[in-house]
């Protein structure tokens, strides 16, 4: 009975929602079927090319390859988040 | 040509062997001819779950090493027409069989059987590669736990990478009381995350433990909820379109009140 009352007044999300959120997060990483080495090479190449045009924020440069499953087939997507400091490159 | 289905999960202990035994038995009860193959070499168990452990003469390694033919190694279940077991070897290790061996073995069984179910060992190493080599369909078994769902996701990725397109999900050992309380992942949560079609949901059921103790698949007696769930899975495998079994349990008053408050948060 005490347990029920405790639960009644608790503001915590149900444990299954915690489970679901944790799973969704961990699967984003699991599903990226790319080696860190390859990611780093892609990252540095993109950085090199983009730097010729704009001034990018190298610290917050983030790229990721994720695999999304859609009933029977899966496709990979490259997601990049590249903050730009200045639009025009200072030379 | 017989349809070859691998039953796999990645994680151990989620009920692959129990599912294989019960789906195989249910298919045979529906009048199909079925071979169930235990590919867990070194840790065989399908024989005890089916209650056929005392009748083993030859095993899978005898077949792949050429000691006997695939058909000769089959054990016929005397209690049920149409059900055959090819047991794993207990004293060898998984390296004793190769994926090519498995493909040849299934070919040698020919097309006189309607279904060949392959019980896959846990893990993603050699045993897994052997088990999926000859399969054209896959059933992934998971339980409503984070570890099992995560492993299932990995397995689905590996199956797809190996060109197995027809992949279906069984959610096993569901404790409905906990799901209804919001303390266990629901079937919808799991299909959401894994993004594959569900072929059946099996409740956590004492009847499974009791029947396994006796060496009889739970589907032999069709009265339990888990038996009904497995029979439905077998029917869906044959192409029948049947609605999902209602496995919800009656909630008590306090649970209902709690649920209302949870939803409003």
């Amino acid at each position: 009975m005490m347990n029920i009352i405790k639960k009644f007044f608790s503001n915590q999300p149900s444990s299954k929602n915690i489970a679901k959120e944790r799973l969704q997060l961990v699967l984003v990483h699991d599903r990226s079927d790319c080696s860190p080495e390859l990611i780093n090479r892609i990252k540095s190449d993109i950085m090199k090319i983009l730097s010729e045009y704009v001034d990018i924020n190298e610290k917050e440069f983030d790229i990721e390859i994720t695999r999304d499953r859609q009933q029977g087939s899966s496709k990979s997507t490259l997601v990049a988040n590249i903050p730009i400091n200045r639009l025009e490159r200072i030379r | 040509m017989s349809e070859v289905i691998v039953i796999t999960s990645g994680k151990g202990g989620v009920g692959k062997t129990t599912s294989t035994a019960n789906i195989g038995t249910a298919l045979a009860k529906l009048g199909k001819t079925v071979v169930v193959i235990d590919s867990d070499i070194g840790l065989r168990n399908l024989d005890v779950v089916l209650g056929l452990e005392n009748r083993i003469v030859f095993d899978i390694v005898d077949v792949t090493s050429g000691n006997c033919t695939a058909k000769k190694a089959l054990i016929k279940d005397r209690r049920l027409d149409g059900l055959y077991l090819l047991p794993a070897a207990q004293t060898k290790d998984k390296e004793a069989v190769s994926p090519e061996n498995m493909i040849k073995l299934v070919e040698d069984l020919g097309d006189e059987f309607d279904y060949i179910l392959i019980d896959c060992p846990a893990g993603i190493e050699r045993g897994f590669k052997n088990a999926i080599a000859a399969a054209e369909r896959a059933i992934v078994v998971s339980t409503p736990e984070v570890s099992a769902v995560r492993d299932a996701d990995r397995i689905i990725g590996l199956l797809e990478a190996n060109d197995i397109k027809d992949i279906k999900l069984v959610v096993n050992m569901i404790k409905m009381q906990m799901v209804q309380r919001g303390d266990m992942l629901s079937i919808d949560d799991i299909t959401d995350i894994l993004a594959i079609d569900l072929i059946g949901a099996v409740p956590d059921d004492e009847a499974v433990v009791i029947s396994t103790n006796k060496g009889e698949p739970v589907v032999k007696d069709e009265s339990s909820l888990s038996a009904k769930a497995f029979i439905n899975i077998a029917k869906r495998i044959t192409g029948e379109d049947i609605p999902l079994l209602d496995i919800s349990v009656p909630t008590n008053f306090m649970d209902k009140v709690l649920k209302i408050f949870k939803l409003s948060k």
Side-chain angles (χ1 to χ4, degrees):
Chain A
M1 196 62 193
M2 260 328 271
N3 262 344
I4 294 176
I5 294 170
K6 238 190 245 163
K7 239 178 135 179
F8 199 87
F9 289 106
S10 82
N11 261 320
Q12 280 179 356
S14 65
S15 67
K16 78 121 185 189
N17 283 336
I18 302 175
K20 195 174 179 184
E21 274 165 33
R22 289 179 57 225
L23 261 170
Q24 277 163 337
L25 266 176
V26 77
L27 289 184
V28 168
H29 289 278
D30 285 2
R31 283 175 186 171
S32 67
D33 45 2
C34 231
S35 71
E37 204 238 325
L38 180 63
I39 292 269
N40 278 335
R41 271 167 50 203
I42 297 175
K43 188 174 166 179
S44 70
D45 278 3
I46 293 180
M47 209 135 66
K48 213 162 70 193
I49 292 177
L50 281 180
S51 311
E52 289 179 17
Y53 300 93
V54 288
D55 181 16
I56 58 176
N57 183 339
E58 290 186 18
K59 261 191 201 148
E60 284 173 40
F61 188 121
D62 182 36
I63 89 167
E64 202 172 62
I65 292 182
T66 59
R67 223 177 25 141
D68 250 332
R69 198 175 295 130
Q70 272 139 1
Q71 307 299 342
S73 70
S74 61
K75 64 171 200 270
S76 299
T77 320
L78 186 145
V79 183
N81 183 10
I82 312 166
I84 296 172
N85 288 337
R86 291 161 65 104
L87 214 48
E88 267 170 73
R89 184 94 185 110
I90 328 148
R91 286 176 199 274
Chain B
M1 187 66 193
S2 13
E3 232 177 289
V4 188
I5 307 174
V6 62
I7 294 165
T8 180
S9 70
K11 188 178 177 296
V14 299
K16 280 180 298 296
T17 302
T18 309
S19 299
T20 309
N22 279 293
I23 295 170
T25 305
L27 282 167
K29 285 184 86 166
L30 294 173
K32 307 287 180 189
T33 50
V34 187
V35 178
V36 289
I37 300 179
D38 189 349
S39 69
D40 200 348
I41 298 162
L43 290 169
R44 78 171 168 218
N45 270 324
L46 191 52
D47 54 338
V48 280
V49 175
L50 284 167
L52 297 171
E53 69 272 23
N54 293 326
R55 302 203 23 229
I56 297 176
V57 182
F58 298 110
D59 60 45
I60 194 167
V61 175
D62 288 319
V63 178
T64 55
S65 60
N67 277 350
C68 77
T69 63
K71 275 174 205 162
K72 202 175 161 200
L74 294 181
I75 301 164
K76 185 181 181 332
D77 192 332
R78 291 191 190 119
R79 298 157 298 180
L80 180 62
D81 257 355
L83 183 63
Y84 302 83
L85 166 71
L86 179 57
Q90 184 69 323
T91 52
K92 309 269 182 356
D93 66 42
K94 292 181 173 71
E95 312 298 316
V97 172
S98 71
E100 292 73 32
N101 287 155
M102 288 299 289
I103 294 169
K104 182 165 184 303
L105 187 155
V106 167
E107 270 170 18
D108 288 349
L109 283 174
D111 42 16
E112 62 187 87
F113 304 100
D114 296 314
Y115 293 96
I116 297 175
L117 304 184
I118 302 173
D119 181 21
C120 178
I124 52 173
E125 298 85 20
R126 181 64 164 268
F128 171 74
K129 286 174 187 144
N130 286 341
I132 66 166
E136 53 217 3
R137 289 171 74 177
I139 291 178
V140 174
V141 183
S142 184
T143 61
E145 293 166 69
V146 282
S147 47
V149 176
R150 183 194 196 178
D151 289 1
D153 188 80
R154 181 106 170 84
I155 286 296
I156 294 164
L158 291 171
L159 290 168
E160 281 171 349
N162 281 279
D163 256 343
I164 297 177
K165 302 261 187 278
D166 186 347
I167 308 170
K168 297 279 191 295
L169 175 71
V170 167
V171 182
N172 195 19
M173 299 185 204
I174 306 168
K175 295 188 192 345
M176 280 315 283
Q177 208 119 33
M178 291 188 73
V179 174
Q180 284 160 329
R181 233 193 290 145
D183 277 332
M184 184 176 260
L185 291 166
S186 69
I187 299 163
D188 286 344
D189 291 330
I190 299 170
T191 51
D192 246 22
I193 292 168
L194 295 177
I196 58 168
D197 290 333
L198 185 77
I199 197 168
V202 186
D204 191 49
D205 191 350
E206 288 185 4
V208 174
V209 181
I210 296 167
S211 66
T212 309
N213 285 343
K214 297 190 267 188
E216 286 172 359
V218 74
V219 294
K220 288 237 158 116
D221 170 15
E222 298 178 16
S223 60
S224 68
L225 211 50
S226 53
K228 287 181 187 131
F230 279 121
I231 290 166
N232 280 358
I233 293 171
K235 287 182 178 164
R236 290 187 196 108
I237 288 175
T238 65
E240 257 188 77
D241 186 18
I242 11 180
L244 207 63
L245 191 71
D246 180 19
I247 55 171
S248 63
V249 289
T251 45
N252 61 36
F253 175 72
M254 272 320 275
D255 277 341
K256 277 183 199 156
V257 176
L258 267 176
K259 217 177 159 190
I260 292 167
F261 274 78
K262 274 254 159 70
L263 285 176
S264 61
K265 263 175 203 158

